[in-house]
Amino acid sequence: MAKIIGAVTTSHVPAIGGAIAKGRQQDPYWKPFFDGFNPIRQWLGDNKPDVVVVIYNDHGLNFFLDKMPTFSVGAAPTYVNADEGWGIPSLPPFTGHQPLSWHLIESLVEEEFDLTTCQEMLVDHAFTLPMALLWPDQKWPVTVVPVCINTVQAPVPSAKRCWKLGEAIGRAVASWAGDEKVLVLGTGGLSHQLDGERAGFINKDFDLKFMDSLVGDDPQWATQFSGHELVEQTGTQGIELLMWLATRATLGEKVNDVFRNYHIPISNTASGLMLMTPKA
Ligand code: DHB
Ligand code: FE
């Protein structure tokens, strides 16, 4: 039986790709951010996951505004990155775990999630850069299953629905006959707003409360808020925290709070990082 051995949640800012390309990890601006990943890499080296389910949001590379699925799952043999216009180098392709992808798709559809299935799929900075933060040599030692949640075009799914999606992903992995060790990687958030009157908006109090909630007695705390309320609290792009909720939900009721980092700002974003493991 496959097993989720842990979950990492992190922000995903395109400028990270520029910092990596220019070797700026130890610059004073970047150091508090990049150093946050050292304990995570240590844990990955000790625990060696076989496959990563990456829960992220596409920003217009694979889906554009003309076709915007609420939830989509990749079932491709390979996932390729491409130029998104940020001026950062494209990263090497990722090998898909197709049998697990199809098992996930079948399980989720059986559980009444109406998915878009992608047998070809480009992956953007929200997928590639967190992977490069976990494995800086970019020689991916894992296969991947992309799960994409729309947070770029209204209407976005509710926090409650994303929590349920995460629970269903957890059940799907648990019912997979293989013996893979699975890492769930959720990317997005925390508070940030890139456009409009509140551009640059960050809400540290809310972010820290949210991170606390995920490892506390009420991990569903943020599901009390509507999409509009989440945008009010965290900014238009802060709604990407939905990925953190879905990721946390894959782990079951209780988790170990293994590691956290929070640093303001990276580009326009309050950058958060957590490693949680399931409590037996
Ligand atoms: C930034 C953050 C994002 O989540 C994103 O997708 C693009 C840019 C930023 O802070 O620059
Ligand atoms: Fe984003």
Side-chain angles (χ1 to χ4, degrees), residues 11-15 57 59 86 124-126 188-189 192 194 237 240 266-270:
S11 305
H12 63 225
V13 175
N57 62 296
H59 302 70
W86 300 102
D124 78 355
H125 68 273
H192 62 299
L194 303 178
Q237 283 77 28
E240 289 177 346
I266 286 299
S267 188
N268 297 294
T269 297

Side-chain angles (χ1 to χ4, degrees), residues 250-266:
T250 66
L251 293 176
E253 218 169 298
K254 295 239 183 302
V255 295
N256 301 303
D257 177 10
V258 182
F259 179 75
R260 298 193 224 179
N261 191 32
Y262 184 81
H263 178 67
I264 295 176
I266 286 299

Side-chain angles (χ1 to χ4, degrees), residues 95-211:
T95 302
H97 189 322
Q98 279 182 297
L100 183 58
S101 280
W102 283 112
H103 174 71
L104 220 68
I105 290 162
E106 282 168 11
S107 305
L108 293 176
V109 170
E110 184 67 30
E111 292 210 34
E112 302 179 354
F113 286 91
D114 304 314
L115 302 175
T116 297
T117 301
C118 302
Q119 298 187 61
E120 290 182 7
M121 195 177 200
L122 295 172
V123 287
D124 78 355
H125 68 273
F127 184 108
T128 59
L129 296 177
M131 289 293 285
L133 290 163
L134 300 193
W135 290 286
D137 66 1
Q138 300 179 17
K139 293 181 181 139
W140 322 120
V142 288
T143 54
V144 298
V145 175
V147 175
C148 193
I149 300 179
N150 166 39
T151 56
V152 300
Q153 176 166 258
V156 302
S158 69
K160 277 199 180 81
R161 188 70 175 147
C162 292
W163 181 272
K164 286 181 180 162
L165 178 76
E167 287 181 323
I169 291 171
R171 285 189 289 271
V173 171
S175 67
W176 173 241
D179 59 1
E180 293 89 339
K181 290 192 280 183
V182 179
L183 175 75
V184 184
L185 173 59
T187 96
L190 287 173
S191 60
H192 62 299
Q193 171 145 349
L194 303 178
D195 44 14
E197 279 177 17
R198 291 202 310 167
F201 177 78
I202 276 174
N203 186 346
K204 181 176 177 180
D205 288 346
F206 187 94
D207 289 341
L208 295 181
K209 200 160 179 198
F210 174 61
M211 289 170 85

